């Protein structure tokens, strides 16, 4: 599949800490959604949707963008 624009820079796990507000860069997730980091694991990060507190997702740090 072809990409439009520049290739996004992949983030590392060390760039995120508890309480950071982020968005998820994935085709199935709306870019308008904002998430708060609730736990930083060794390989993944748990984030919680700011609009729906019951929506908790484990995400690879490469898909996260600081908002």
């Amino acid at each position: 599949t072809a990409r439009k624009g520049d290739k996004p820079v992949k983030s590392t796990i060390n760039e995120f800490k508890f309480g950071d507000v982020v968005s998820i860069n994935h085709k199935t997730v709306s870019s308008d959604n904002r998430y708060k980091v609730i736990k930083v694991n060794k390989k993944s990060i748990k984030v919680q949707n700011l609009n729906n507190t019951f929506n908790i997702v484990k995400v690879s740090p490469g898909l996260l963008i600081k908002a």
Side-chain angles (χ1 to χ4, degrees), residues 18-22 34-38 46-50:
F18 177 81
D20 285 347
V21 177
V22 296
R34 296 288 177 247
Y35 297 86
K36 183 174 83 170
V37 174
I38 57 173
K46 254 188 194 180
V47 294
Q48 180 181 36
N49 193 333
L50 292 177

Side-chain angles (χ1 to χ4, degrees), residues 2-60:
R3 291 181 196 226
K4 292 183 179 178
D6 296 331
K7 189 173 183 181
V9 177
K10 299 250 181 185
S11 303
T12 62
I13 203 149
N14 298 327
E15 296 176 31
F16 300 100
K17 62 183 190 293
F18 177 81
D20 285 347
V21 177
V22 296
S23 61
I24 299 176
N25 182 20
H26 193 267
K27 62 183 176 183
T28 61
V29 181
S30 172
S31 61
D32 297 335
N33 290 349
R34 296 288 177 247
Y35 297 86
K36 183 174 83 170
V37 174
I38 57 173
K39 185 173 183 181
V40 179
N41 296 317
K42 194 160 115 178
K43 291 185 178 180
S44 64
I45 298 176
K46 254 188 194 180
V47 294
Q48 180 181 36
N49 193 333
L50 292 177
N51 297 328
N52 181 2
T53 57
F54 297 107
N55 186 5
I56 297 173
V57 185
K58 280 173 68 174
V59 185
S60 169

